[in-house]
Amino acid sequence: HRRRLEKRLCIANAQARLSALTACAHRFFANESSCKLPSEWIQVPPARMARVPLLQSGSDMVSLCRLACNSSHGNGPCSVATTLAARFVRVERVEHAMLWRNFSAARSALCEDLPSQGVTLRPILPQVLSQSSLMDTRVNEALLYHGSAHVDTILQEGLDPRLSEDRGLYGRGCYFSDRFCKALQYATPDADGLQHVLICRVLLGDPFYTSTEQRNLKVPPRQGGTGRRYDSIIASEGISPFGRGRRQQHREFVVFDKQHIYPEFVCIISTL
């Protein structure tokens, strides 16, 4: 009887896994395979990284610049929208085969895990401005901004939540924003007066929407129903994380798994 029960359980698990795989196969993304690199890459060796400048008048460069300007505040203390376009020096595409394959594998795994755990994924609302038809909505993939003074290290090793500081308001994770002006605040100018902002592919999965500070978190909280951990934390604009006083001016996204992040572009901005 025990062997029959174990066999039935094994078959049920296999069927659930097959069902999840079938759900994931309804649309194949050209860059999704963990063994296939994007066709536009120059095919660098797996352990190396290349930064390929985009054409100044090319469609990708123009689109990314316009997206950054449209996502930035036009007024208030962080207003940069009116001058940002003139400050773009260049945008570079990041080609790192190992980081890309790790990200692609994590995306496929998350796509499989969510339905198998009974998670009904809801879209991010309000919609992230940098979401496009090239993003995988099955795992709430989005293009988000991250400003840093340590871009060279990040592009070699990836963004690592373990290196984040304890003072993060929403836990020890990697922080992103859907507003370029927010990321620019953390992009300390280098010796040449240039700021660097990363445009990253980020897997938000099933996010936890917080309205209070979450300083002590090292992983996302668990769901009340399934017990599964959320995949990210979102702090929306307008919330009061301390219960009173200043409100959140920019929406922030916090991710705790480095495999859920791929730094796809680097924006180099002059400080004028």
Side-chain angles (χ1 to χ4, degrees), residues 239-267:
I239 67 168
S240 297
F242 304 108
R244 56 184 176 80
R246 292 184 59 184
R247 295 184 178 273
Q248 183 94 10
Q249 292 187 338
H250 307 83
R251 183 164 52 166
E252 294 188 75
F253 305 79
V254 189
V255 177
F256 298 82
D257 188 338
K258 69 175 297 183
Q259 311 297 354
H260 287 187
I261 307 163
Y262 181 76
E264 188 162 23
F265 299 99
V266 185
C267 300

Side-chain angles (χ1 to χ4, degrees), residues 15-57:
Q15 289 175 338
R17 184 176 176 84
L18 179 60
S19 176
L21 285 171
T22 303
C24 283
H26 73 90
R27 178 181 178 187
F28 181 78
F29 287 80
N31 298 340
E32 188 171 2
S33 172
S34 60
C35 62
K36 184 176 181 180
L37 301 178
S39 58
E40 67 271 20
W41 282 20
I42 60 174
Q43 307 297 315
V44 297
R48 297 181 60 187
M49 180 272 298
R51 296 169 62 168
V52 181
L54 300 182
L55 293 175
Q56 289 290 341
S57 58

Side-chain angles (χ1 to χ4, degrees), residues 138-263:
R138 297 168 296 170
V139 289
N140 275 330
E141 181 182 7
L143 284 177
L144 297 172
Y145 302 114
H146 178 89
S148 176
H150 309 288
V151 166
D152 290 338
T153 301
I154 291 172
L155 296 186
Q156 289 291 344
E157 303 174 3
L159 278 157
D160 194 337
R162 295 173 300 178
L163 301 178
S164 62
E165 299 179 354
D166 289 330
R167 61 183 181 182
L169 197 58
Y170 305 110
R172 294 195 62 177
C174 295
Y175 284 68
F176 302 88
S177 179
D178 55 347
R179 291 193 179 274
F180 194 89
C181 54
K182 175 63 174 178
L184 206 57
Q185 295 176 7
Y186 296 90
T188 305
D190 62 16
D192 297 320
L194 299 177
Q195 295 174 278
H196 298 77
V197 173
L198 297 171
I199 304 179
C200 302
R201 285 180 182 253
V202 182
L203 306 179
L204 298 172
D206 186 24
F208 172 72
Y209 289 86
T210 186
S211 58
T212 59
E213 60 176 320
Q214 306 283 343
R215 290 185 184 274
N216 297 323
L217 288 182
K218 295 183 179 180
V219 292
R222 292 187 183 276
Q223 298 177 359
T226 64
R228 179 186 181 275
R229 290 194 182 277
Y230 290 97
D231 300 298
S232 59
I233 291 178
I234 297 179
S236 301
E237 292 183 20
I239 67 168
S240 297
F242 304 108
R244 56 184 176 80
R246 292 184 59 184
R247 295 184 178 273
Q248 183 94 10
Q249 292 187 338
H250 307 83
R251 183 164 52 166
E252 294 188 75
F253 305 79
V254 189
V255 177
F256 298 82
D257 188 338
K258 69 175 297 183
Q259 311 297 354
H260 287 187
I261 307 163
Y262 181 76

